[in-house]
Amino acid sequence: MRGLLARRMKFHLLGAFLVSVGSAALYKFGVAEPRKRAYEEFYKNYDPVKDFEAMKAAGVLESAP
């Protein structure tokens, strides 16, 4: 029984580290990078003046003359 806690702690620390690194990598490549690409694609052809004019014509912006 001597040293049982230290042995088990090494195993669990290594496992926790690997799980946390794996989940961080999974989030980065599964969520963050596709989101960045979607934003880049959206703003590549985005015209804010045209969008403003469309909202003004629709009556969304009541304070804009």
Side-chain angles (χ1 to χ4, degrees):
M1 296 291 280
R2 191 174 299 255
L4 179 65
L5 177 62
R7 233 182 14 243
R8 299 289 292 170
M9 188 65 78
K10 286 179 188 175
F11 174 74
H12 284 106
L13 282 175
L14 179 64
F17 178 76
L18 291 176
V19 166
S20 65
V21 167
S23 62
L26 189 65
Y27 179 82
K28 177 175 173 43
F29 295 113
V31 176
E33 292 298 324
R35 188 177 289 172
K36 278 189 212 177
R37 284 194 299 272
Y39 276 114
E40 284 177 6
E41 188 63 34
F42 175 77
Y43 283 111
K44 193 181 294 183
N45 301 319
Y46 180 67
D47 184 17
V49 175
K50 186 174 117 182
D51 198 28
F52 171 74
E53 293 298 329
M55 285 190 286
K56 191 167 77 169
V60 175
L61 304 173
E62 296 174 3
S63 63

